[in-house]
Structures are given as C-alpha cells and as structure tokens.
Amino acid sequence: MAIANQEMIRDNNRRQVLEYLVNHPPISRAALSQQLHLTKATISNIVQELIEQHLILEIGSAQTSLGRKPILLEFQKKCGYVLSIDVHPSQIIALTSDLKGENCRLKEYPFQKEDNLYKNLCRIIRDILPEYGNCPYKIVGITIGIYGVVQQNQILFTPYYPLPDSNLAKLLESEFHIPVFVENESNLSVLGESAFHHYDQNMVLLNIHDGIGMGIMINGHLYRGQDGYAGEIGHTILFPDGKPCPCGNHGCLEQYASEKAILEEYARLTHQEQVTIDAFVRDYQNQVPEALEMMELFSKYISIAINNIINTFNIELVVLNSSFSNYIPQINLSIQDYLHHHQNRKCQIIPSRLQDISGLMGGIRIGVERFLDIRHLIIENFSSNKIR
C-alpha cells in the first residue's frame, strides 16, 4: 500500500509540473518549486525525466541582476501532434495541431450518407499520418466528433447519417495503433471553448447547425448524463404534436430553430427550392421582410431555450455558436434583450470564439490531455487565420 501511495504521489507531482510547464512557459526550476510547493529535489528529478522524454527543453537563462542566472524550461509542443476529425452530415473535416493547439492544418473531405464511415476515416488517416512521421511522438491521438449520442467511446445514436459501427474507435485503434476517442460534437465544442474561457468552471455551449446540440461543463468537468444523452436540447419539445423529428418525437426545438429549419422555412416563404446561409444573411442585411421575420422567430426560440438552460443549471456562461449569431451580431443583442425581460439571474451570453472549428479544437484538447496525462490544456494564442 505504501508503494502504491508513493507512485500515486509521484504521478500527481509529475502531472502538476508538466501541466504548469504546458500552460505557463517559460519557467525555471526554482520558480516551479515555488509555484507548486514542491521541493527542489522533486522538481529536478521530474524535470530531468521530462527532458529525457523529449517533452520539455532548456531554452537559456533568465535575465536577472542577482546571483546565478536560472535556466528556463519550455514545453516542447512540436514533439507530437494530434488529429481531430469532425464527421458532418455532408463532409468530414480533419484538423491537426501540435500539443499546444497551435501550428494547425485543416483538410476537408467529401462525405455522403451512404458512404462507409470506417473506410472513409481509414483513407483520411492514411492521408495525414505520413506528414508527421519525423517528430518524436508522431500522431499521439485521434478524436472523432459525431453528430449523435456517444457513451464510453461507443456510438449509440446518429440522427443525420446511418449509425456507424458502435465500436468504431476500437476498429481504428486496431488498424493504426493510435488511441482513438469518439465524442459528441457539442461536448467537444464546449471543451474547445472552455480551453479559452478557463476561468469559467460552469458553462454551456449551444451548437446550432443542422440540429441543435448542447455541451455542458459543470465544475470544470464535461457532463454527459447517465448514458450519454445529456445536452440533447434540440430534442426538447417546443410545440407538442408539432413537426415530426428523426428522434421519433414531434415538435422538437431543432425542427423550428436550427439553421436547417430556418433556411428551409425561409425558402418556403420566398418560393425558392433552397437558400444558403450566405444568401439568407444578405437578404437579412437588405431588410427582406421574410428574413427579418425568420430571425425574430430564431431569437425568440433560442431565448426560450437559453432561459430554460439558465433556470435548470444556474450556469455562469452560455456560448452561442451559430452562423446566424456569428454573422449577424444584432441577433445576440436581440436574444439578450429578450432574456433581460424574462430572467434576473446573472449569466453571461457570448458568441463562440472558435465558431465552426470549436468541436475540432475540443478534439485537439482531448488528445493532448490524454497523451500528456494533464487535466486542463489552456489555449491562449490560437488564431483561425493561422490555419493552413
């Protein structure tokens, strides 16, 4: 028992040192000892181990006017890379980054509902792996975002494309010998956003695209519910006996307030076969009455959803991720005005910082944290303009 306790303490100390180095570089051994309240001998042993593992490196001396100049340490973020894949209903997007969520590359691949997802993912992974064969750890993890319900790395339900093999992660791990994590795309999105908003321990992210999903962060931890169905706010009932939904119910929120639902209704009102988001935004900016009407409905329905979220979770922060709210800033103000009239609890509502790649960055975060065995990756220097 004493040996087990010693190993646990040693592992915990290593985790603290590495996480601090990842999130707060550069720093000296002495400063690490002071910040983490660990002895200098403990810090020296852990640092030497991390240097030998190519995870950190010495980068020179700090500038000081007193005594010997301390040697600074920095996390070697390019020692490995992470692959994050988002399976949309109509395409697959792959993002690779280093172990700090930087040096990102994005690729898009066509995907149809009738395609075999496993074979498509194998082809994509084989396309990407050779690019990272020269760094010490190569690709250290693969995360796959699914539109549907996932529990314990198994896929339980997908409403917008055929249900893949529930053991998709194990199949890919056997094929490539790399850890594979499968997760709901809204859960990944809230993990991505919280890597930026790391001081907010309780937050919700609303993903509004073809459907409406919700990622929930409670006390700094992802909340999935009893069997992975937590956050399926798009399938809460807005109108009893309303429009049928693929989930089997009628009148679900996403049948009225998702981007897909809004654009389809706008096309019907304006006698068009289909309308793109860009065309709709142009019509809204040109004050087309039907576009204004649809955005008023969108604001109302999403305000109702957020009002219910605040009353249920008493949350600190709601991040809204939608093309409508991202491209039409007035929509955020309209939603906030509605809530101010119906809600007196303190809750900040902000647009997504990551927008379309929030789930992908959440996947990066999972891959990095699992590989390094740290609890929270903080991303501060990310810019979508730097993605190649």
Side-chain angles (χ1 to χ4, degrees):
M1 183 65 71
I3 294 175
N5 287 338
Q6 289 175 4
E7 289 180 353
M8 187 180 300
I9 291 170
R10 186 166 59 248
D11 290 345
N12 185 60
N13 289 342
R14 180 188 182 277
R15 181 183 300 112
Q16 288 187 69
V17 170
L18 184 53
E19 183 165 326
Y20 201 92
L21 277 162
V22 169
N23 291 328
H24 306 285
I27 190 169
S28 68
R29 290 170 175 82
L32 269 173
S33 175
Q34 185 177 19
Q35 288 291 333
L36 300 177
H37 306 290
L38 297 173
T39 67
K40 291 182 179 179
T42 297
I43 292 294
S44 293
N45 289 335
I46 293 172
V47 165
Q48 184 58 39
E49 176 187 334
L50 295 174
I51 289 175
E52 291 172 359
Q53 293 172 347
H54 305 289
L55 292 174
I56 64 173
L57 67 162
E58 297 176 332
I59 60 169
S61 301
Q63 297 299 319
T64 177
S65 58
L66 300 174
R68 190 172 63 180
K69 295 180 179 180
I71 297 174
L72 294 176
L73 305 167
E74 187 172 72
F75 175 55
Q76 198 167 344
K77 61 188 179 184
K78 293 184 181 180
C79 68
Y81 286 79
V82 180
L83 170 58
S84 182
I85 298 174
D86 200 351
V87 183
H88 286 252
S90 58
Q91 66 174 338
I92 295 176
I93 304 175
L95 179 73
T96 52
S97 90
D98 64 27
L99 300 185
K100 189 58 179 152
E102 300 170 5
N103 296 291
C104 297
R105 288 186 180 182
L106 186 142
K107 290 187 176 183
E108 298 180 354
Y109 300 86
F111 177 64
Q112 302 296 327
K113 292 180 181 180
E114 60 271 14
D115 292 346
N116 183 294
L117 180 57
Y118 171 71
K119 290 182 179 179
N120 268 265
L121 291 175
C122 286
R123 176 174 55 84
I124 290 168
I125 295 169
R126 289 194 189 100
D127 177 48
I128 292 172
L129 286 183
E131 299 178 26
Y132 301 93
N134 293 327
C135 60
Y137 288 101
K138 303 179 175 61
I139 295 289
V140 302
I142 300 169
T143 306
I144 300 170
I146 295 291
Y147 284 62
V149 178
V150 178
Q151 176 72 340
Q152 296 180 346
N153 227 25
Q154 291 196 321
I155 305 168
L156 305 182
F157 171 68
T158 52
Y160 294 105
Y161 39 76
L163 182 67
D165 190 306
S166 61
N167 292 313
L168 181 66
K170 286 186 177 180
L171 292 172
L172 291 171
E173 284 181 346
S174 297
E175 180 69 26
F176 295 102
H177 308 291
I178 298 172
V180 178
F181 314 104
V182 179
E183 185 56 89
N184 167 271
E185 56 94 26
S186 291
N187 287 346
L188 291 178
S189 290
V190 78
L191 286 172
E193 289 288 342
S194 68
F196 289 93
H197 308 288
H198 50 278
Y199 297 113
D200 295 288
Q201 294 295 296
N202 299 289
M203 63 182 289
V204 157
L205 178 135
L206 274 182
N207 253 349
I208 306 169
H209 301 299
D210 286 353
I212 300 179
M214 178 169 67
I216 308 166
M217 188 74 67
I218 302 294
N219 295 328
H221 298 284
L222 187 64
Y223 180 73
R224 296 180 177 86
Q226 176 179 304
D227 53 7
Y229 279 81
E232 290 295 314
I233 193 169
H235 299 292
T236 56
I237 306 302
L238 184 64
F239 294 109
D241 304 318
K243 297 177 183 178
C245 181
C247 75
N249 286 323
H250 288 76
C252 291
L253 174 68
E254 69 179 40
Q255 296 304 313
Y256 298 88
S258 66
E259 290 179 8
K260 181 174 180 288
I262 292 291
L263 294 177
E264 285 178 352
E265 180 63 13
Y266 181 66
R268 187 189 68 80
L269 290 173
T270 54
H271 309 290
Q272 302 180 65
E273 284 192 14
Q274 62 179 17
V275 178
T276 65
I277 185 68
D278 291 336
F280 178 87
V281 170
R282 283 196 301 271
D283 286 354
Y284 178 88
Q285 292 169 342
N286 291 330
Q287 302 286 293
V288 174
E290 291 86 353
L292 300 178
E293 176 187 343
M294 293 310 303
M295 278 300 89
E296 185 176 343
L297 280 176
F298 174 80
S299 298
K300 178 181 177 180
Y301 294 153
I302 295 304
S303 298
I304 291 171
I306 294 176
N307 184 68
N308 292 339
I309 291 168
I310 295 172
N311 281 324
T312 301
F313 293 103
N314 193 23
I315 214 79
E316 300 165 5
L317 174 68
V318 174
V319 180
L320 194 56
N321 189 16
S322 160
S323 294
F324 296 139
S325 55
N326 293 337
Y327 299 154
I328 308 174
Q330 302 96 303
I331 299 303
N332 296 309
L333 297 175
S334 176
I335 291 170
Q336 291 180 23
D337 287 344
Y338 181 92
L339 287 168
H340 286 326
H341 288 95
H342 297 82
Q343 182 64 253
N344 59 8
R345 293 180 180 86
K346 184 180 179 181
C347 179
Q348 188 180 10
I349 301 168
I350 62 173
S352 167
R353 179 170 178 177
L354 294 171
Q355 299 184 10
D356 292 342
I357 62 167
S358 60
L360 289 165
M361 291 305 296
I364 296 295
R365 176 181 169 181
I366 283 184
V368 172
E369 290 177 348
R370 298 286 180 89
F371 171 68
L372 297 177
D373 189 26
I374 64 174
R375 290 175 179 163
H376 197 120
L377 173 70
I378 296 174
I379 301 174
E380 295 177 323
N381 300 319
F382 175 83
S383 172
S384 58
N385 295 328
K386 296 180 180 178
I387 294 180
R388 291 178 287 170

